[in-house]
């Protein structure tokens, strides 16, 4: 905003959509953090490879993009790999780690939706404009959570008291 003042001059609906996309991005972190709390990261992270598959689906549905045969084959391989990694032997049976897999699917979908929204708006506005409004959305949701969720406010204040100067230097 200080470097390029015209980043604030976009239609209100575009700013609102970018802010919504930033909230999708932040919401995607909750199921991801749940999954890595419950399962080994090497298992969890494999499902992140599905983000481009969701991106292909969103692009096809809303932008009428089409996949090439190698992209289709790659998508199928990614899905099979994510399913395979989330199976484990249990009494000679294959049992899916369903809650973890579903949490990561939700996370991947939310990330893909955020990236899709960013791309869609950035095609019409500039990258800097879209980035500005995305980070504005991150900040806005952070402020809303700190103001209206006492647990988050207490955690934030505790971390700020313990490492205040370091956190401020890191974010400037």
């Amino acid at each position: 905003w200080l470097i390029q003042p015209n980043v604030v001059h976009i239609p209100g609906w575009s700013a609102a959509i970018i802010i919504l996309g930033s909230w999708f991005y932040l919401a995607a972190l909750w199921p991801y953090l749940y999954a890595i709390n419950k399962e080994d990261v090497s298992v969890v992270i494999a499902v992140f490879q599905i983000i481009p598959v969701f991106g292909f689906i969103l692009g096809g549905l809303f932008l009428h993009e089409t996949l090439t045969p190698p992209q289709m084959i790659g998508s199928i391989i990614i899905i099979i790999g994510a399913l395979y990694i989330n199976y484990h032997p249990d009494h000679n049976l294959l049992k899916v780690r369903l809650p973890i897999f579903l949490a990561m699917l939700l996370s991947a979908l939310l990330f893909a939706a955020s990236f899709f929204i960013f791309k869609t708006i950035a095609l019409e506005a500039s990258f800097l404009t879209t980035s500005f409004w995305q980070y504005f959305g991150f900040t806005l949701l952070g402020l809303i959570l700190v103001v209206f969720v006492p647990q988050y406010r207490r955690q934030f204040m505790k971390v700020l008291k313990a490492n205040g100067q370091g956190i401020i230097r890191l974010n400037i």
Side-chain angles (χ1 to χ4, degrees):
W1 163 64
L2 294 174
I3 296 170
Q4 190 174 6
N6 64 347
V7 296
V8 296
H9 301 295
I10 64 169
W13 66 270
S14 291
I17 290 172
I18 297 167
I19 290 169
L20 177 66
S22 70
W23 292 5
F24 284 169
Y25 185 97
L26 295 172
L29 294 172
W30 267 290
Y32 168 71
L33 293 173
Y34 163 80
I36 63 171
N37 188 43
K38 299 288 183 187
E39 186 59 63
D40 186 62
V41 175
S42 63
V43 172
V44 170
I45 205 71
V47 184
F48 261 148
Q49 304 310 313
I50 292 180
I51 293 172
V53 176
F54 282 131
F56 290 151
I57 293 168
L58 292 170
L61 289 174
F62 297 106
L63 299 177
H64 307 292
E65 296 175 344
T66 57
L67 294 179
T68 64
Q71 289 171 322
M72 287 183 218
I73 292 168
S75 296
I76 292 168
I77 291 170
I78 288 170
I79 292 168
I80 290 170
L83 285 170
Y84 178 75
I85 287 174
N86 277 277
Y87 278 93
H88 66 91
D90 187 310
H91 307 297
N92 296 325
L93 299 172
L94 290 178
K95 181 181 175 185
V96 71
R97 297 172 179 130
L98 194 59
I100 304 304
F101 185 73
L102 292 177
M104 286 308 297
L105 278 181
L106 176 60
S107 179
L109 178 60
L110 289 168
F111 274 123
S114 174
F115 301 152
F116 175 79
I117 289 170
F118 187 95
K119 174 187 175 181
T120 303
I121 300 298
L123 288 173
E124 295 181 18
S126 72
F127 174 82
L128 285 176
T129 299
T130 309
S131 294
F132 171 83
W133 286 102
Q134 183 181 46
Y135 281 96
F136 178 81
F138 292 158
T139 304
L140 181 62
L141 184 58
L143 289 173
I144 289 169
L145 291 175
V146 166
V147 169
F148 293 107
V149 181
Q151 178 186 357
Y152 293 161
R153 183 173 48 253
R154 283 190 300 274
Q155 288 175 346
F156 177 74
M157 294 308 292
K158 182 179 176 182
V159 169
L160 196 58
K161 284 179 185 176
N163 302 313
Q165 289 180 347
I167 291 172
I168 292 170
R169 279 191 297 247
L170 182 65
N171 289 289
I172 290 184

